mmCIF file of all heavy atoms in Angstrom:
data_model
loop_
_atom_site.group_PDB
_atom_site.id
_atom_site.type_symbol
_atom_site.label_atom_id
_atom_site.label_comp_id
_atom_site.label_asym_id
_atom_site.label_seq_id
_atom_site.Cartn_x
_atom_site.Cartn_y
_atom_site.Cartn_z
ATOM 1 N N SER A 10 -8.131 -13.804 22.393
ATOM 2 C CA SER A 10 -8.880 -13.392 21.224
ATOM 3 C C SER A 10 -9.335 -14.575 20.379
ATOM 4 O O SER A 10 -10.167 -14.426 19.557
ATOM 5 C CB SER A 10 -8.138 -12.398 20.413
ATOM 6 O OG SER A 10 -6.958 -13.071 19.850
ATOM 7 N N CYS A 11 -8.553 -15.633 20.352
ATOM 8 C CA CYS A 11 -8.880 -16.751 19.503
ATOM 9 C C CYS A 11 -8.902 -18.133 20.226
ATOM 10 O O CYS A 11 -9.676 -18.468 21.052
ATOM 11 C CB CYS A 11 -8.067 -16.777 18.249
ATOM 12 S SG CYS A 11 -8.464 -17.836 16.988
ATOM 13 N N ASP A 12 -7.796 -18.976 20.009
ATOM 14 C CA ASP A 12 -7.778 -20.260 20.576
ATOM 15 C C ASP A 12 -6.560 -20.468 21.484
ATOM 16 O O ASP A 12 -6.180 -21.595 21.779
ATOM 17 C CB ASP A 12 -7.708 -21.329 19.507
ATOM 18 C CG ASP A 12 -6.600 -21.154 18.543
ATOM 19 O OD1 ASP A 12 -5.893 -20.132 18.546
ATOM 20 O OD2 ASP A 12 -6.301 -22.069 17.743
ATOM 21 N N ASP A 13 -5.920 -19.406 21.999
ATOM 22 C CA ASP A 13 -4.869 -19.443 23.033
ATOM 23 C C ASP A 13 -5.234 -18.664 24.180
ATOM 24 O O ASP A 13 -5.659 -17.482 24.074
ATOM 25 C CB ASP A 13 -3.611 -18.959 22.468
ATOM 26 C CG ASP A 13 -3.009 -19.799 21.297
ATOM 27 O OD1 ASP A 13 -2.525 -20.914 21.633
ATOM 28 O OD2 ASP A 13 -3.006 -19.322 20.206
ATOM 29 N N HIS A 112 -5.154 -6.373 19.604
ATOM 30 C CA HIS A 112 -4.414 -7.588 19.498
ATOM 31 C C HIS A 112 -3.152 -7.383 18.559
ATOM 32 O O HIS A 112 -2.097 -7.929 18.790
ATOM 33 C CB HIS A 112 -5.379 -8.800 18.930
ATOM 34 C CG HIS A 112 -4.697 -10.042 18.709
ATOM 35 N ND1 HIS A 112 -4.392 -10.931 19.710
ATOM 36 C CD2 HIS A 112 -4.177 -10.591 17.552
ATOM 37 C CE1 HIS A 112 -3.763 -11.975 19.230
ATOM 38 N NE2 HIS A 112 -3.629 -11.849 17.904
ATOM 39 N N LEU A 113 -3.375 -6.645 17.454
ATOM 40 C CA LEU A 113 -2.242 -6.541 16.468
ATOM 41 C C LEU A 113 -1.226 -5.635 17.087
ATOM 42 O O LEU A 113 -0.026 -5.752 16.712
ATOM 43 C CB LEU A 113 -2.831 -6.036 15.201
ATOM 44 C CG LEU A 113 -3.748 -7.050 14.465
ATOM 45 C CD1 LEU A 113 -4.109 -6.470 13.072
ATOM 46 C CD2 LEU A 113 -3.016 -8.379 14.213
ATOM 47 N N HIS A 116 1.090 -7.876 18.909
ATOM 48 C CA HIS A 116 1.983 -8.515 17.993
ATOM 49 C C HIS A 116 3.127 -7.538 17.626
ATOM 50 O O HIS A 116 4.285 -7.927 17.656
ATOM 51 C CB HIS A 116 1.263 -9.012 16.739
ATOM 52 C CG HIS A 116 0.624 -10.347 16.867
ATOM 53 N ND1 HIS A 116 1.321 -11.521 17.291
ATOM 54 C CD2 HIS A 116 -0.681 -10.693 16.606
ATOM 55 C CE1 HIS A 116 0.458 -12.496 17.333
ATOM 56 N NE2 HIS A 116 -0.753 -12.071 16.927
ATOM 57 N N VAL A 136 2.154 -10.578 10.026
ATOM 58 C CA VAL A 136 1.528 -11.724 9.394
ATOM 59 C C VAL A 136 0.993 -12.665 10.335
ATOM 60 O O VAL A 136 1.762 -13.415 11.071
ATOM 61 C CB VAL A 136 2.586 -12.255 8.350
ATOM 62 C CG1 VAL A 136 2.542 -11.671 6.996
ATOM 63 C CG2 VAL A 136 4.009 -12.265 8.885
ATOM 64 N N SER A 137 -0.272 -12.804 10.310
ATOM 65 C CA SER A 137 -0.918 -13.811 11.274
ATOM 66 C C SER A 137 -2.040 -14.594 10.507
ATOM 67 O O SER A 137 -2.020 -14.557 9.317
ATOM 68 C CB SER A 137 -1.521 -12.946 12.444
ATOM 69 O OG SER A 137 -2.598 -12.298 11.992
ATOM 70 N N GLY A 138 -2.896 -15.227 11.268
ATOM 71 C CA GLY A 138 -3.921 -16.106 10.638
ATOM 72 C C GLY A 138 -4.941 -15.204 9.958
ATOM 73 O O GLY A 138 -5.495 -15.612 8.964
ATOM 74 N N GLY A 139 -5.126 -13.964 10.463
ATOM 75 C CA GLY A 139 -6.120 -13.180 9.948
ATOM 76 C C GLY A 139 -5.701 -11.884 9.186
ATOM 77 O O GLY A 139 -6.457 -11.082 8.507
ATOM 78 N N HIS A 140 -4.390 -11.599 9.331
ATOM 79 C CA HIS A 140 -3.799 -10.340 8.795
ATOM 80 C C HIS A 140 -2.515 -10.551 8.035
ATOM 81 O O HIS A 140 -1.689 -11.313 8.429
ATOM 82 C CB HIS A 140 -3.633 -9.358 9.896
ATOM 83 C CG HIS A 140 -4.934 -8.851 10.526
ATOM 84 N ND1 HIS A 140 -5.524 -9.629 11.487
ATOM 85 C CD2 HIS A 140 -5.775 -7.782 10.236
ATOM 86 C CE1 HIS A 140 -6.730 -8.972 11.842
ATOM 87 N NE2 HIS A 140 -6.834 -7.919 11.096
ATOM 88 N N ALA A 163 -1.743 -14.302 4.808
ATOM 89 C CA ALA A 163 -0.646 -15.280 4.578
ATOM 90 C C ALA A 163 -0.929 -16.530 5.489
ATOM 91 O O ALA A 163 -0.857 -17.674 5.022
ATOM 92 C CB ALA A 163 0.646 -14.655 4.940
ATOM 93 N N GLY A 164 -1.226 -16.339 6.795
ATOM 94 C CA GLY A 164 -1.495 -17.385 7.634
ATOM 95 C C GLY A 164 -2.688 -18.272 7.160
ATOM 96 O O GLY A 164 -2.643 -19.500 7.235
ATOM 97 N N GLU A 165 -3.682 -17.597 6.748
ATOM 98 C CA GLU A 165 -4.929 -18.255 6.219
ATOM 99 C C GLU A 165 -4.509 -19.113 4.934
ATOM 100 O O GLU A 165 -5.025 -20.229 4.839
ATOM 101 C CB GLU A 165 -5.884 -17.073 5.845
ATOM 102 C CG GLU A 165 -7.326 -17.532 5.719
ATOM 103 C CD GLU A 165 -8.144 -16.235 5.490
ATOM 104 O OE1 GLU A 165 -7.644 -15.058 5.537
ATOM 105 O OE2 GLU A 165 -9.367 -16.447 5.133
ATOM 106 N N ALA A 166 -3.625 -18.553 4.108
ATOM 107 C CA ALA A 166 -3.235 -19.348 2.929
ATOM 108 C C ALA A 166 -2.517 -20.574 3.339
ATOM 109 O O ALA A 166 -2.686 -21.636 2.806
ATOM 110 C CB ALA A 166 -2.297 -18.402 2.125
ATOM 111 N N PHE A 167 -1.704 -20.513 4.363
ATOM 112 C CA PHE A 167 -0.986 -21.681 4.873
ATOM 113 C C PHE A 167 -2.029 -22.626 5.422
ATOM 114 O O PHE A 167 -1.964 -23.796 5.142
ATOM 115 C CB PHE A 167 -0.073 -21.334 6.050
ATOM 116 C CG PHE A 167 1.308 -20.904 5.611
ATOM 117 C CD1 PHE A 167 1.878 -19.615 5.792
ATOM 118 C CD2 PHE A 167 2.183 -21.873 4.966
ATOM 119 C CE1 PHE A 167 3.216 -19.422 5.450
ATOM 120 C CE2 PHE A 167 3.463 -21.560 4.686
ATOM 121 C CZ PHE A 167 3.959 -20.326 4.857
ATOM 122 N N ASP A 168 -2.991 -22.062 6.268
ATOM 123 C CA ASP A 168 -3.990 -22.991 6.866
ATOM 124 C C ASP A 168 -4.895 -23.673 5.879
ATOM 125 O O ASP A 168 -5.109 -24.884 5.987
ATOM 126 C CB ASP A 168 -4.780 -22.146 7.808
ATOM 127 C CG ASP A 168 -4.064 -21.622 9.016
ATOM 128 O OD1 ASP A 168 -2.986 -22.254 9.366
ATOM 129 O OD2 ASP A 168 -4.411 -20.659 9.564
ATOM 130 N N TYR A 178 -4.386 -28.097 11.729
ATOM 131 C CA TYR A 178 -4.148 -26.690 12.162
ATOM 132 C C TYR A 178 -3.105 -26.637 13.204
ATOM 133 O O TYR A 178 -3.127 -27.508 14.160
ATOM 134 C CB TYR A 178 -5.538 -26.042 12.643
ATOM 135 C CG TYR A 178 -5.363 -24.690 13.041
ATOM 136 C CD1 TYR A 178 -5.519 -23.565 12.118
ATOM 137 C CD2 TYR A 178 -5.072 -24.237 14.415
ATOM 138 C CE1 TYR A 178 -5.298 -22.332 12.489
ATOM 139 C CE2 TYR A 178 -4.931 -22.911 14.697
ATOM 140 C CZ TYR A 178 -5.057 -21.962 13.762
ATOM 141 O OH TYR A 178 -4.875 -20.624 14.113
ATOM 142 N N PRO A 179 -2.175 -25.704 13.414
ATOM 143 C CA PRO A 179 -2.050 -24.574 12.464
ATOM 144 C C PRO A 179 -1.200 -25.008 11.235
ATOM 145 O O PRO A 179 -0.046 -25.549 11.346
ATOM 146 C CB PRO A 179 -1.230 -23.552 13.321
ATOM 147 C CG PRO A 179 -0.501 -24.409 14.354
ATOM 148 C CD PRO A 179 -1.368 -25.648 14.519
ATOM 149 N N GLY A 180 -1.816 -24.690 10.074
ATOM 150 C CA GLY A 180 -1.229 -25.161 8.806
ATOM 151 C C GLY A 180 0.158 -24.673 8.546
ATOM 152 O O GLY A 180 0.997 -25.497 8.056
ATOM 153 N N GLY A 181 0.433 -23.457 8.939
ATOM 154 C CA GLY A 181 1.840 -22.910 8.699
ATOM 155 C C GLY A 181 2.947 -23.754 9.318
ATOM 156 O O GLY A 181 4.004 -24.123 8.645
ATOM 157 N N TYR A 182 2.605 -24.105 10.563
ATOM 158 C CA TYR A 182 3.677 -24.933 11.276
ATOM 159 C C TYR A 182 3.849 -26.303 10.592
ATOM 160 O O TYR A 182 4.937 -26.664 10.315
ATOM 161 C CB TYR A 182 3.097 -25.080 12.758
ATOM 162 C CG TYR A 182 3.947 -26.105 13.495
ATOM 163 C CD1 TYR A 182 5.156 -25.784 14.097
ATOM 164 C CD2 TYR A 182 3.435 -27.446 13.645
ATOM 165 C CE1 TYR A 182 5.924 -26.704 14.689
ATOM 166 C CE2 TYR A 182 4.255 -28.337 14.341
ATOM 167 C CZ TYR A 182 5.404 -27.971 14.925
ATOM 168 O OH TYR A 182 6.165 -28.939 15.550
ATOM 169 N N HIS A 183 2.698 -26.961 10.202
ATOM 170 C CA HIS A 183 2.778 -28.303 9.673
ATOM 171 C C HIS A 183 3.361 -28.227 8.203
ATOM 172 O O HIS A 183 4.133 -29.167 7.826
ATOM 173 C CB HIS A 183 1.472 -29.004 9.703
ATOM 174 C CG HIS A 183 1.081 -29.294 11.125
ATOM 175 N ND1 HIS A 183 1.634 -30.358 11.805
ATOM 176 C CD2 HIS A 183 0.233 -28.645 11.975
ATOM 177 C CE1 HIS A 183 1.121 -30.404 13.020
ATOM 178 N NE2 HIS A 183 0.285 -29.381 13.163
ATOM 179 N N ALA A 185 5.547 -26.093 7.142
ATOM 180 C CA ALA A 185 6.953 -25.716 7.288
ATOM 181 C C ALA A 185 7.705 -27.010 7.665
ATOM 182 O O ALA A 185 8.774 -27.303 7.143
ATOM 183 C CB ALA A 185 7.208 -24.652 8.323
ATOM 184 N N LYS A 186 7.099 -27.827 8.532
ATOM 185 C CA LYS A 186 7.748 -29.153 8.992
ATOM 186 C C LYS A 186 7.868 -30.087 7.816
ATOM 187 O O LYS A 186 8.908 -30.611 7.579
ATOM 188 C CB LYS A 186 6.859 -29.675 10.092
ATOM 189 C CG LYS A 186 7.582 -30.567 11.012
ATOM 190 C CD LYS A 186 6.845 -30.864 12.314
ATOM 191 C CE LYS A 186 7.169 -32.253 12.797
ATOM 192 N NZ LYS A 186 6.100 -32.839 13.510
ATOM 193 N N GLU A 245 5.274 -23.105 0.734
ATOM 194 C CA GLU A 245 6.024 -22.241 1.608
ATOM 195 C C GLU A 245 6.916 -21.278 0.897
ATOM 196 O O GLU A 245 7.018 -20.067 1.160
ATOM 197 C CB GLU A 245 6.858 -23.097 2.533
ATOM 198 C CG GLU A 245 7.661 -22.302 3.641
ATOM 199 C CD GLU A 245 8.500 -23.230 4.451
ATOM 200 O OE1 GLU A 245 9.215 -24.038 3.903
ATOM 201 O OE2 GLU A 245 8.564 -22.985 5.732
ATOM 202 N N ALA A 271 6.387 -9.756 12.792
ATOM 203 C CA ALA A 271 5.611 -10.296 13.919
ATOM 204 C C ALA A 271 4.370 -10.981 13.507
ATOM 205 O O ALA A 271 4.025 -10.896 12.329
ATOM 206 C CB ALA A 271 5.277 -9.157 14.868
ATOM 207 N N GLY A 272 3.666 -11.656 14.467
ATOM 208 C CA GLY A 272 2.508 -12.449 14.120
ATOM 209 C C GLY A 272 2.846 -13.947 13.884
ATOM 210 O O GLY A 272 4.098 -14.210 13.636
ATOM 211 N N GLY A 273 1.952 -14.774 13.923
ATOM 212 C CA GLY A 273 2.144 -16.250 13.862
ATOM 213 C C GLY A 273 3.007 -16.679 12.707
ATOM 214 O O GLY A 273 3.876 -17.526 12.892
ATOM 215 N N VAL A 274 2.893 -16.083 11.511
ATOM 216 C CA VAL A 274 3.703 -16.546 10.367
ATOM 217 C C VAL A 274 5.212 -16.083 10.527
ATOM 218 O O VAL A 274 6.054 -16.652 9.900
ATOM 219 C CB VAL A 274 3.086 -15.938 9.092
ATOM 220 C CG1 VAL A 274 3.898 -16.413 7.868
ATOM 221 C CG2 VAL A 274 1.579 -16.396 8.849
ATOM 222 N N SER A 275 5.416 -15.119 11.456
ATOM 223 C CA SER A 275 6.893 -14.739 11.656
ATOM 224 C C SER A 275 7.610 -15.893 12.342
ATOM 225 O O SER A 275 8.846 -15.858 12.521
ATOM 226 C CB SER A 275 6.965 -13.531 12.480
ATOM 227 O OG SER A 275 6.547 -13.650 13.848
ATOM 228 N N ALA A 276 6.925 -16.943 12.740
ATOM 229 C CA ALA A 276 7.652 -18.120 13.320
ATOM 230 C C ALA A 276 8.314 -18.890 12.131
ATOM 231 O O ALA A 276 9.174 -19.762 12.416
ATOM 232 C CB ALA A 276 6.637 -19.107 13.989
ATOM 233 N N ASN A 277 7.978 -18.584 10.978
ATOM 234 C CA ASN A 277 8.474 -19.379 9.782
ATOM 235 C C ASN A 277 10.037 -18.995 9.520
ATOM 236 O O ASN A 277 10.336 -17.840 9.207
ATOM 237 C CB ASN A 277 7.685 -19.002 8.571
ATOM 238 C CG ASN A 277 7.981 -19.877 7.381
ATOM 239 O OD1 ASN A 277 8.997 -19.670 6.708
ATOM 240 N ND2 ASN A 277 7.180 -20.954 7.268
ATOM 241 N N VAL A 278 10.849 -19.990 9.615
ATOM 242 C CA VAL A 278 12.363 -19.805 9.445
ATOM 243 C C VAL A 278 12.686 -19.326 8.100
ATOM 244 O O VAL A 278 13.552 -18.470 7.868
ATOM 245 C CB VAL A 278 12.971 -21.121 9.804
ATOM 246 C CG1 VAL A 278 14.470 -20.987 9.629
ATOM 247 C CG2 VAL A 278 12.681 -21.466 11.275
ATOM 248 N N LEU A 301 10.656 -17.252 19.238
ATOM 249 C CA LEU A 301 9.676 -18.157 18.611
ATOM 250 C C LEU A 301 8.401 -18.305 19.377
ATOM 251 O O LEU A 301 7.300 -18.286 18.881
ATOM 252 C CB LEU A 301 10.412 -19.503 18.369
ATOM 253 C CG LEU A 301 9.647 -20.521 17.588
ATOM 254 C CD1 LEU A 301 9.400 -19.965 16.165
ATOM 255 C CD2 LEU A 301 10.443 -21.803 17.433
ATOM 256 N N CYS A 304 5.864 -15.528 18.801
ATOM 257 C CA CYS A 304 5.422 -15.196 17.498
ATOM 258 C C CYS A 304 3.920 -15.380 17.321
ATOM 259 O O CYS A 304 3.145 -14.544 16.911
ATOM 260 C CB CYS A 304 6.082 -16.033 16.406
ATOM 261 S SG CYS A 304 7.882 -15.644 16.194
ATOM 262 N N THR A 305 3.433 -16.569 17.811
ATOM 263 C CA THR A 305 1.998 -16.783 17.836
ATOM 264 C C THR A 305 1.394 -16.242 19.105
ATOM 265 O O THR A 305 2.084 -15.686 19.948
ATOM 266 C CB THR A 305 1.753 -18.339 17.770
ATOM 267 O OG1 THR A 305 2.685 -19.002 18.753
ATOM 268 C CG2 THR A 305 2.016 -18.988 16.412
ATOM 269 N N ASP A 306 0.022 -16.227 19.164
ATOM 270 C CA ASP A 306 -0.601 -15.573 20.229
ATOM 271 C C ASP A 306 -0.114 -15.946 21.695
ATOM 272 O O ASP A 306 0.078 -17.124 21.981
ATOM 273 C CB ASP A 306 -2.155 -15.851 20.145
ATOM 274 C CG ASP A 306 -2.720 -15.195 18.879
ATOM 275 O OD1 ASP A 306 -2.021 -14.469 18.243
ATOM 276 O OD2 ASP A 306 -3.867 -15.430 18.639
ATOM 277 N N ASN A 307 -0.107 -14.945 22.501
ATOM 278 C CA ASN A 307 0.464 -15.197 23.897
ATOM 279 C C ASN A 307 0.029 -14.039 24.772
ATOM 280 O O ASN A 307 -0.257 -13.021 24.272
ATOM 281 C CB ASN A 307 1.997 -15.364 23.776
ATOM 282 C CG ASN A 307 2.687 -14.117 23.261
ATOM 283 O OD1 ASN A 307 2.943 -13.208 24.075
ATOM 284 N ND2 ASN A 307 2.913 -14.093 21.969
ATOM 285 N N MET A 310 2.791 -10.516 24.913
ATOM 286 C CA MET A 310 2.717 -9.320 23.993
ATOM 287 C C MET A 310 1.589 -8.394 24.485
ATOM 288 O O MET A 310 1.765 -7.150 24.220
ATOM 289 C CB MET A 310 2.507 -9.829 22.610
ATOM 290 C CG MET A 310 1.128 -10.487 22.306
ATOM 291 S SD MET A 310 0.955 -11.215 20.698
ATOM 292 C CE MET A 310 -0.868 -11.228 20.464
HETATM 293 O O1 KG4 B 401 -0.705 -14.720 15.452
HETATM 294 P P1 KG4 B 401 -1.400 -16.081 15.417
HETATM 295 O O2 KG4 B 401 -1.046 -17.028 16.492
HETATM 296 O O3 KG4 B 401 -2.986 -15.853 15.508
HETATM 297 C C1 KG4 B 401 -3.612 -14.818 14.813
HETATM 298 O O4 KG4 B 401 -3.596 -13.761 15.427
HETATM 299 O O5 KG4 B 401 -4.148 -15.100 13.705
HETATM 300 O O6 KG4 B 401 -1.148 -16.602 13.989
HETATM 301 C C2 KG4 B 401 -1.609 -17.837 13.629
HETATM 302 C C3 KG4 B 401 -1.099 -18.229 12.209
HETATM 303 C C4 KG4 B 401 -1.756 -19.454 11.571
HETATM 304 O O7 KG4 B 401 -2.350 -19.099 10.359
HETATM 305 C C5 KG4 B 401 -0.622 -20.383 11.433
HETATM 306 O O8 KG4 B 401 -0.713 -21.274 10.380
HETATM 307 C C6 KG4 B 401 0.589 -19.496 11.301
HETATM 308 O O9 KG4 B 401 0.258 -18.387 12.221
HETATM 309 N N1 KG4 B 401 1.872 -20.093 11.635
HETATM 310 C C7 KG4 B 401 2.891 -20.343 10.805
HETATM 311 C C8 KG4 B 401 3.880 -20.999 11.509
HETATM 312 N N2 KG4 B 401 3.419 -21.173 12.810
HETATM 313 C C9 KG4 B 401 2.199 -20.615 12.890
HETATM 314 N N3 KG4 B 401 2.977 -19.934 9.526
HETATM 315 C C10 KG4 B 401 4.149 -20.322 8.840
HETATM 316 N N4 KG4 B 401 5.144 -20.927 9.534
HETATM 317 C C11 KG4 B 401 5.020 -21.337 10.824
HETATM 318 N N5 KG4 B 401 6.111 -21.909 11.352
#
Side-chain angles (χ1 to χ4, degrees):
S10 67
C11 188
D12 58 346
D13 292 292
H112 178 79
L113 296 181
H116 277 303
V136 269
S137 69
H140 294 84
E165 202 175 349
F167 271 118
D168 295 335
Y178 181 86
Y182 169 80
H183 291 283
K186 204 167 151 207
E245 187 184 39
V274 181
S275 69
N277 190 279
V278 177
L301 191 59
C304 289
T305 45
D306 292 350
N307 63 84
M310 68 187 202

